Amino acid sequence: MTSDTSGTPFGPREFQLVLLRRMADHQPGLVEDAVRELGATRSELREANRRWQAWAHARRGPGELRRYRSALGEPVARRTVAEFDSEVLQWDLPLWPELRWEVLIGPLDRRTPPHVWGSGLVRAPGHPGPDLRTEADLRPWSCTLAEVGNAFPPARVRDGSAPTRLRLDFTLPDGTPRAAEFTWGLLQRLL
């Protein structure tokens, strides 16, 4: 655990509160339960988000990848994706034991520091995802963007209603077109 510019420790607990802050827009009940599970308050959730945003926008801030490493420590898993000259880093998050926070970085040419190309929640190895067959199986926080896209092809990812959100357009087995919104890669709602 490290400190941001305020000098107060900022670790996995605070990072999870940051993720929950944006999820509260669509799933306030699930967020309330999660905040309690973390032993936090709504004001701590808001303060963690404020600190993360200040840290992210600081003129001499550490950069996105260094912020993740500072808050979450060393990744629990990493793999190179040679064809894209990139690397995938993953961290466990106690609030979601079946998921991991994943960051895709690149390029890996070593002449310049790598940039974060994408980040979000993904299914952790050894944890089978849900069996997604019908619309009823698509419950908030039950599945990731990749799982829904793989279960209901063809699927198309589009920008969501905020920077941390993505929309997935897909087709149910009966031919019905649907769309879902994901925050940090985790299903929030059907549209």
Side-chain angles (χ1 to χ4, degrees):
M1 185 174 349
T2 191
S3 300
D4 61 9
T5 56
S6 73
T8 306
F10 197 102
R13 178 179 179 266
E14 290 75 20
F15 180 73
Q16 291 171 108
L17 290 171
V18 170
L19 300 183
L20 290 170
R21 170 60 190 93
R22 183 54 65 195
M23 291 180 189
D25 295 340
H26 297 304
Q27 294 300 328
L30 291 173
V31 168
E32 280 298 322
D33 293 344
V35 168
R36 271 194 303 276
E37 186 176 330
L38 289 172
T41 64
R42 294 287 288 176
S43 61
E44 286 177 296
L45 178 138
R46 287 187 299 275
E47 178 62 12
N49 188 64
R50 185 199 65 74
R51 289 174 55 203
W52 182 261
Q53 294 303 321
W55 206 12
H57 299 292
R59 183 173 294 198
R60 294 182 183 227
E64 193 172 3
L65 180 57
R66 287 190 57 211
R67 277 196 324 276
Y68 291 133
R69 284 189 162 149
S70 293
L72 301 173
E74 283 302 307
V76 297
R78 62 187 327 139
R79 65 182 161 77
T80 301
V81 184
E83 61 268 24
F84 297 112
D85 190 31
S86 62
E87 187 174 28
V88 175
L89 309 174
Q90 292 184 340
W91 289 267
D92 289 329
L93 295 175
L95 190 56
W96 293 285
E98 295 185 356
L99 302 175
R100 283 188 175 164
W101 181 254
E102 181 175 272
V103 174
L104 175 66
I105 62 169
L108 301 177
D109 65 12
R110 308 291 182 221
R111 286 174 281 178
T112 59
H115 296 285
V116 172
W117 287 344
S119 58
L121 293 164
V122 298
R123 186 72 49 192
H127 292 278
D131 186 21
L132 303 175
R133 295 178 187 259
T134 69
E135 184 173 347
D137 298 328
L138 300 171
R139 294 179 319 282
W141 291 22
S142 69
C143 48
T144 66
L145 180 98
E147 291 166 340
V148 176
N150 290 333
F152 302 108
R156 182 173 153 228
V157 178
R158 299 186 337 178
D159 289 339
S161 59
T164 60
R165 295 187 187 134
L166 290 173
R167 175 185 167 138
L168 185 72
D169 295 328
F170 59 95
T171 304
L172 293 171
D174 67 5
T176 305
R178 287 307 314 251
E181 193 161 52
F182 297 79
T183 302
W184 306 115
L186 191 62
L187 177 65
Q188 298 300 309
R189 64 181 179 155
L190 293 175
L191 301 172

